Amino acid sequence: MALKIENLRAYYRSSEAGVATVVRAVDGVNLTIKENEIFGIAGESSCGKTTLIRTLSGTIKPPLEIVGGRVVYDIKEKEVDLFSLRSSEMRALRWKHVAYILQGSMSVLNPVRRVIKTFEDFTEAHERITDRKAFREKVNKHVLDLGLPIDVVTAYPHQLSGGMRQRVAIALATIFKPPVILADEPTTALDVVVQRGVLQLLKDIQRETGNTVVLVTHDMAVHANVADRVGIMYAGRIVEVGAVEDIFQRARHPYTQHLISSLPTIGDRTPRSALPGAPPSLANPPEGCRFHPRCEHAMDVCRREVPPMLEEENGHQTACFWANREAVS
Amino acid sequence: MRSFFGILKDLLSRDGRFRFAFIALSALILFSLASYWSPHSPRFSFVVPPNMRPNLDYWFGTNSRGQDLFWMMTFATRNSLAFGLMTAALSRVISIFVGLTSGYKGGLYDRVLMAINDSFIVLPVLPILILLNFILRGQMNLFTLSLTMAFFGWAFDARLMRSQVLSLKEREFTNNAIFSGMKMHKITLKEHLPFVMPIVFSTWINNMMWAMGMEVTLSVLGLSNINIATIGTTIYWANQHQALISGVWWWLGAPVAISVLLFLSMYLTVISLNQHLDPRTRLQRIREATTDGT
Amino acid sequence: MKNAFLRYIILRVLQCLMVIFVGITVTFMIPRFTPVDPVEQAITRMTMFQQSTHPEALEEMRASLATLYGLEGSVFEQYLGFWGRLFRGDLGPSLSSFPRPVMTLIRTSLPWTAGLLLTSTIIAWSLGNIIGAFAGYFHHKKWSQVLGVMALVVWPIPYYIFAFLLLVLLAYVIPIFPLSGAFAIGSSPGLNWNFISSVLRHGFLPALSIVAIGFGGQFLGMRSLVSNVISEDYILYAEIAGVPNHRILKNYVIRNALLPQITGLALQLGMIFNGAMITEFVFSYPGIGYLAYTAIFSGDFGLIMGIAIFSIVAVALAVLIIDLLYPVFDPRVKLR
């Protein structure tokens, strides 16, 4: 096990002009992510996946609040509860143990400084650089190992293309070879050819170092290509988890089935059916199963109760009364 | 018009600074309108006993020229406000014209116009205005003064308008309008003006503040028509009579207090308006509105 | 890479020449296209105090004044002559202290203006930006909000009124500082402590007025720039990576938010001549602004004209210098 999420709830609380609003972006998520795997988290935009990964990285700034649950990292065979850490311990954990590749990584580089300076800043946050020359060589080697041209190190961000900036961001995140990498939509703003390169880079790093990658993207095709296991998120909750083949070939949750069937396949010309309705507001989610207003199989029980997560086989779990109707009865 | 009142109501309900500014400005406008009921003309002196401290009969006191400062200040505020409005209106005409045509035409036309525009931005205005008013002293009235001020006060805002036009040109509905065969000037008036208007309004107030501040400066140097009651000329006359040294502090106190209140409330109006127009805060409001509604 | 930088420099120099061209053309046209004849004005003013003047003498004076102001020949010839004299650094003679050249008068006043206004503008700019950056970065702290309210109240007050209030308060009601002048009458100019301390004491109040107002503007500007910059991804990312606060503030926040403020400094320097007039008038400080004020008082048209032209050229050059320094702070200009 690399990390374990137990009944995690993270809400955005704000009160403007006397009206308090609570957005339940992550509302009762349970997941166990193994070592040496690429775990994909899929779902529509604003289903809470960015909030989930941000919580995993320990970046909790108001109005975001942890309301309940735990995130436990396995660090050198020891279980560490993320939210019990002091801020200095949290700082030590980040980047050395857990690296985070932000959504829209194209703009994570300081526009007025050379890339190497950012490497220096990020490194010096964790360890003293005693020998600048040796450090530069280390960065050069790291960048070369990742297959990037050597002159990106001395360039300014505006001189690099979007795809290159994304790759530099990945290089920056992996300088300490962290056991866990959290990546939020790393390929979203890129064109398809560049996407492939960036994904391949992530995959190669994972192969080589055997670490754990948590990859968040709405793009199911990316999951199909890269992930070992996939979790499907809907309205703040995980509704289905399984190995990538199970998810794509034997999807059980009606929502997952919709996501899969909306993917284009070569030679198939039948029109894609769109999911009726819109995802619910997380400020005021529906009772019971949050998918029931859009679900064609919705039953009475779905409107009243939250469906439990049940395992079928091979770690394939689904939270759906309809899919698990045999198991329940 | 409805949206104007909508913005007003919105700002009044959620922004304390705007509330203060709105009340203060309304009070000052009412105060300046009271000049129409003044018992004395501002041109006559020695109509009341001179050098009276502020008291129940003369709220702001009287000056050494035997004028009731309360009524004098109603005229001065009215004239200063009218001067500011006029200057801002005239310079708005220039900056809207330059900004819009430069933004739409682009190319060489844009480059030449912006080179001239940038020259006007950095040009030190005061020495030139002093030169101008030095020659024309005596011939100037408030209108010609505002005309000359407008000539120097348009450039910065023209750049703002131009950049707004450039961003509007990129948007979808402009292309739709072009493809549906609309003429450019029609697109400008019908589709783009509603987006440019808020900037016109906020730069309007900014420009008023600049013009009125300049008027104070020029008047204090004795370079405007000192026979017209304005905030600046009131200070000029007080200085001429050495009001402070002879202990008639209220002669200066009245214009200083009124202008501080006036400028502060105008500035607060601008910042709450700009904040209201900022896309970021706008987004937040929309988000609140949708979460409130559901 | 080299070409973009060269292009930038050439454009800036051209823009500087454009400013000088536009400004000087405007100053040239003002006395020629206004209904008032400066020559007649000067003559009226002179003859006001003299009982009798011979018509021939008057005619002679008229002619010599026209030569003096360069008002002979067609407008175009005048225009060319005007530029010709400017290139030789000749701004004509002053009328009130005839025949001393305007240039000499400006030269004797310039050190005072430069010393007072340049230093206080730069102090105001630096202080405003540094404190504004801190206030923007720690925007939820109490002191930041208090400072914000203070700047908000001071900044919109017209400078003249603010300077005047300061003078009344600190030199008249509570007489801590001298009312006027640049140094005490008794002290002899030179490098002695007496003189220097006197200069500092006299300069303090005018400097304070410029610093306070300038600080307010820079503070508010920088604070709002910083509040925009801190929502940028590169700040969040540095925070996540655990880069210490002071380092983020220095290398990330200020480095980026300062860029528009540097352009702002160019405009601020341009405002020096606006400011000089008022500061030196209020505090009777013997710089170029005060010179202009005495010129207005004594009806010295040539001197006013000269000061206007001098300030246009000085401002254009100051802006050019800052524009040329800008690429040092923003690599995007020279490396494209």
Side-chain angles (χ1 to χ4, degrees):
Chain A
M1 176 205 86
L3 80 126
K4 198 163 65 187
I5 306 163
E6 289 173 356
N7 200 20
L8 181 65
R9 283 180 296 150
Y11 296 174
Y12 292 95
R13 276 185 214 273
S14 62
S15 73
E16 247 334 279
V19 185
T21 47
V22 177
V23 176
R24 304 180 191 182
V26 174
D27 204 9
V29 167
N30 288 291
L31 273 178
T32 303
I33 294 165
K34 296 176 205 157
E35 264 167 40
N36 196 7
E37 74 169 347
I38 299 186
F39 188 87
I41 297 176
E44 288 163 293
S45 48
S46 75
C47 71
K49 45 188 198 312
T50 292
T51 310
L52 175 61
I53 201 165
R54 176 162 291 189
T55 314
L56 297 186
S57 78
T59 316
I60 296 133
K61 267 187 164 183
L64 182 62
E65 264 178 50
I66 302 298
V67 179
R70 299 203 302 160
V71 171
V72 177
Y73 279 97
D74 178 14
I75 299 173
K76 292 174 190 135
E77 313 292 310
K78 253 171 65 186
E79 293 203 348
V80 175
D81 181 352
L82 184 66
F83 305 132
S84 70
L85 295 178
R86 282 195 299 268
S87 63
S88 59
E89 291 170 325
M90 185 90 92
R91 178 178 289 176
L93 175 84
R94 274 199 220 130
W95 237 254
K96 283 221 120 164
H97 188 83
V98 183
Y100 179 24
I101 300 166
L102 221 61
Q103 185 167 8
S105 276
M106 323 261 280
S107 49
V108 299
L109 299 170
N110 188 350
V112 295
R113 305 187 82 206
R114 294 182 194 277
V115 169
I116 181 73
K117 289 283 173 193
T118 306
F119 270 100
E120 272 175 28
D121 284 342
F122 281 30
T123 304
E124 272 185 315
H126 300 280
E127 55 190 39
R128 262 191 108 81
I129 299 175
T130 40
D131 183 356
R132 300 251 150 208
K133 221 176 132 210
F135 174 74
R136 276 196 187 224
E137 262 155 36
K138 182 183 165 195
V139 171
N140 283 350
K141 183 173 178 304
H142 179 62
V143 164
L144 278 177
D145 283 349
L146 296 185
L148 303 183
I150 191 75
D151 40 346
V152 299
V153 173
T154 49
Y156 285 99
H158 72 273
Q159 296 172 292
L160 306 174
S161 68
M164 196 53 81
R165 261 183 267 173
Q166 184 70 50
R167 273 180 255 213
V168 170
I170 293 173
L172 205 54
T174 50
I175 182 84
F176 289 125
K177 310 248 185 278
V180 179
I181 299 174
L182 310 170
D184 188 2
E185 302 275 8
T187 56
T188 299
L190 306 174
D191 65 62
V192 185
V193 181
V194 183
Q195 263 189 24
R196 278 189 78 94
V198 171
L199 287 175
Q200 195 56 50
L201 176 62
L202 263 179
K203 236 174 154 170
D204 290 346
I205 292 173
Q206 199 275 330
R207 283 275 145 73
E208 216 167 284
T209 49
N211 56 11
T212 305
V213 176
V214 181
L215 175 68
V216 162
T217 174
H218 68 279
D219 190 343
M220 290 304 284
V222 170
H223 289 302
N225 279 328
V226 186
D228 299 317
R229 288 199 306 144
V230 178
I232 308 291
M233 200 165 177
Y234 184 81
R237 291 183 184 148
I238 299 287
V239 294
E240 185 162 1
V241 183
V244 69
E245 315 82 53
D246 284 336
I247 292 290
F248 279 85
Q249 277 151 27
R250 288 178 289 279
R252 305 189 70 232
H253 197 284
Y255 177 63
T256 317
Q257 290 171 351
H258 265 287
L259 282 184
I260 307 295
S261 71
S262 64
L263 281 174
T265 42
I266 296 169
D268 180 5
R269 284 166 189 268
T270 53
R272 310 276 149 220
S273 63
L275 197 55
S281 156
L282 290 171
N284 193 9
E287 290 283 303
C289 172
R290 290 188 174 169
F291 187 62
H292 82 255
R294 302 169 81 186
C295 181
E296 50 190 345
H297 307 294
M299 303 178 289
D300 267 352
V301 64
C302 307
R303 296 184 186 94
R304 291 193 315 265
E305 287 170 40
V306 180
M309 197 71 150
L310 294 179
E311 180 166 339
E312 192 202 29
E313 54 175 350
N314 189 22
H316 189 173
Q317 298 173 310
T318 318
C320 176
F321 288 115
W322 178 76
N324 293 326
R325 58 196 180 279
E326 284 101 41
V328 172
S329 56
Chain B
M1 226 35 208
R2 218 177 46 121
S3 74
F4 173 77
F5 284 112
I7 292 176
L8 194 68
K9 229 181 99 186
D10 201 24
L11 278 173
L12 278 175
S13 66
R14 60 171 71 238
D15 196 337
R17 289 173 309 188
F18 186 79
R19 245 189 326 267
F20 168 81
F22 185 78
I23 293 169
L25 271 184
S26 309
L28 283 167
I29 289 169
L30 283 180
F31 175 70
S32 72
L33 290 179
S35 60
Y36 288 103
W37 285 274
S38 166
H40 321 290
S41 161
R43 292 176 188 284
F44 297 127
S45 36
F46 299 104
V47 288
V48 289
N51 296 338
M52 301 282 284
R53 277 174 177 281
N55 58 41
L56 284 179
D57 289 331
Y58 308 107
W59 292 0
F60 291 1
T62 66
N63 65 18
S64 310
R65 285 155 51 95
Q67 291 163 319
D68 185 340
L69 275 169
F70 179 83
W71 296 111
M72 279 305 282
M73 285 317 296
T74 61
F75 284 105
T77 313
R78 186 179 96 197
N79 284 336
S80 283
L81 275 174
F83 168 75
L85 277 172
M86 208 148 55
T87 311
L90 289 169
S91 67
R92 263 4 42 201
V93 172
I94 307 176
S95 52
I96 291 173
F97 177 78
V98 172
L100 261 52
T101 53
S102 181
Y104 283 112
K105 291 216 163 159
L108 187 68
Y109 182 88
D110 176 39
R111 250 177 285 160
V112 171
L113 216 53
M114 280 302 113
I116 296 173
N117 185 81
D118 290 352
S119 309
F120 270 92
I121 289 181
V122 295
L123 221 53
V125 178
L126 192 63
I128 299 177
L129 278 177
I130 285 178
L131 177 68
L132 188 66
N133 288 284
F134 173 74
I135 296 171
L136 289 176
R137 174 158 56 173
Q139 264 89 354
M140 283 291 217
N141 57 32
L142 278 184
F143 178 71
T144 48
L145 185 64
S146 75
L147 206 63
T148 56
M149 298 279 280
F151 182 71
F152 290 102
W154 54 272
F156 195 77
D157 300 332
R159 244 197 191 288
L160 282 181
M161 313 250 174
R162 174 177 168 275
S163 63
Q164 179 74 1
V165 165
L166 289 183
S167 85
L168 285 171
K169 258 169 83 176
E170 298 300 314
R171 296 203 204 165
E172 196 62 31
F173 64 88
T174 308
N175 285 332
N176 289 345
I178 291 173
F179 289 136
S180 67
M182 245 169 132
K183 286 260 157 51
M184 205 58 204
H185 65 266
K186 222 169 176 181
I187 299 174
T188 313
L189 286 178
K190 279 199 126 161
E191 308 281 335
H192 291 173
L193 210 59
F195 290 94
V196 179
M197 272 334 268
I199 304 185
V200 172
F201 189 67
S202 88
T203 60
W204 186 303
I205 304 176
N206 264 331
N207 197 260
M208 266 181 85
M209 288 168 66
W210 171 79
M212 289 162 70
M214 271 299 191
E215 190 273 331
V216 171
T217 307
L218 287 175
S219 298
V220 164
L221 294 174
L223 284 174
S224 69
N225 189 332
I226 48 180
N227 296 316
I228 303 170
T230 62
I231 291 176
T233 54
T234 310
I235 297 173
Y236 171 81
W237 283 113
N239 282 345
Q240 286 299 305
H241 288 259
Q242 306 198 302
L244 268 192
I245 295 167
S246 45
V248 195
W249 53 265
W250 51 91
W251 194 352
L252 281 160
V256 168
I258 283 184
S259 54
V260 168
L261 189 63
L262 187 61
F263 280 85
L264 183 62
S265 48
M266 287 194 340
Y267 182 66
L268 288 178
T269 310
V270 172
I271 53 173
S272 28
L273 197 69
N274 282 347
Q275 204 173 45
H276 187 86
L277 297 172
D278 187 336
R280 262 180 268 223
T281 51
R282 201 181 257 184
L283 200 67
Q284 197 183 346
R285 271 201 313 281
I286 292 167
R287 229 181 262 148
E288 272 166 43
T290 49
T291 48
D292 285 356
T294 45
Chain C
M1 272 194 195
K2 264 258 151 55
N3 264 343
F5 191 38
L6 202 66
R7 210 178 109 88
Y8 173 84
I9 289 180
I10 290 172
L11 275 175
R12 292 296 110 191
V13 172
L14 283 179
Q15 182 65 54
C16 170
L17 293 177
M18 183 82 182
V19 173
I20 294 175
F21 172 75
V22 169
I24 287 183
T25 306
V26 168
T27 7
F28 170 81
M29 295 212 283
I30 284 172
R32 283 162 185 85
F33 290 93
T34 43
V36 183
D37 184 351
V39 174
E40 287 306 319
Q41 221 181 21
I43 286 179
T44 338
R45 213 170 278 131
M46 280 181 203
T47 49
M48 231 161 29
F49 305 106
Q50 284 164 341
Q51 264 76 29
S52 62
T53 326
H54 290 293
E56 302 93 68
L58 214 63
E59 211 40 59
E60 204 172 297
M61 195 193 264
R62 198 165 276 145
S64 65
L65 274 175
T67 328
L68 219 61
Y69 290 164
L71 289 173
E72 287 166 317
S74 72
V75 172
F76 187 67
E77 282 167 14
Q78 290 177 26
Y79 189 58
L80 288 183
F82 189 72
W83 275 107
R85 263 173 284 129
L86 282 187
F87 274 120
R88 275 173 271 130
D90 178 11
L91 290 173
S94 152
L95 209 63
S96 53
S97 39
F98 196 79
R100 287 181 73 191
V102 167
M103 209 54 201
T104 317
L105 290 176
I106 290 179
R107 208 172 292 138
T108 45
S109 306
L110 187 62
W112 293 110
T113 298
L116 175 66
L117 281 119
L118 207 61
T119 24
S120 45
T121 302
I122 290 170
I123 290 174
W125 187 85
S126 323
L127 270 183
N129 281 311
I130 293 169
I131 299 178
F134 273 90
Y137 192 62
F138 300 104
H139 54 94
H140 43 271
K141 292 271 164 67
K142 195 93 203 143
W143 60 264
S144 159
Q145 283 155 7
V146 170
L147 266 178
V149 172
M150 273 164 58
L152 206 66
V153 173
V154 171
W155 160 241
I157 301 175
Y159 173 69
Y160 169 76
I161 288 175
F162 181 77
F164 187 72
L165 276 176
L166 216 57
L167 181 75
V168 169
L169 269 179
L170 293 179
Y172 187 78
V173 180
I174 319 164
I176 314 172
F177 293 103
L179 263 171
S180 63
F183 51 89
I185 316 262
S187 61
S188 57
L191 274 178
N192 55 71
W193 172 241
N194 232 349
F195 178 69
I196 293 173
S197 75
S198 169
V199 165
L200 288 178
R201 229 168 72 81
H202 280 77
F204 187 80
L205 214 47
L208 181 65
S209 72
I210 298 164
V211 170
I213 288 262
F215 171 82
Q218 296 300 321
F219 175 88
L220 292 172
M222 189 64 175
R223 199 181 55 159
S224 82
L225 282 169
V226 165
S227 72
N228 286 345
V229 166
I230 55 175
S231 60
E232 295 282 349
D233 283 343
Y234 52 82
I235 307 287
L236 179 66
Y237 207 47
E239 278 172 359
I240 295 173
V243 179
N245 271 349
H246 65 91
R247 200 152 176 176
I248 293 182
L249 190 61
K250 192 178 104 214
N251 289 343
Y252 292 73
V253 176
I254 294 182
R255 281 288 307 267
N256 281 286
L258 202 59
L259 299 177
Q261 293 295 82
I262 292 171
T263 325
L265 178 62
L267 290 181
Q268 284 277 308
L269 289 180
M271 298 298 281
I272 277 188
F273 285 93
N274 286 0
M277 301 277 171
I278 313 168
T279 317
E280 295 173 5
F281 163 68
V282 173
F283 298 98
S284 314
Y285 202 81
I288 290 185
Y290 196 72
L291 191 66
Y293 178 65
T294 52
I296 296 169
F297 226 68
S298 55
D300 191 340
F301 170 76
L303 186 52
I304 294 183
M305 186 90 172
I307 290 172
I309 290 170
F310 179 80
S311 47
I312 290 165
V313 175
V315 167
L317 290 177
V319 171
L320 179 66
I321 290 170
I322 290 177
D323 276 346
L324 293 185
L325 283 176
Y326 185 79
V328 176
F329 300 96
D330 190 351
R332 282 166 289 192
V333 172
K334 61 181 169 197
L335 308 165
R336 217 172 268 283

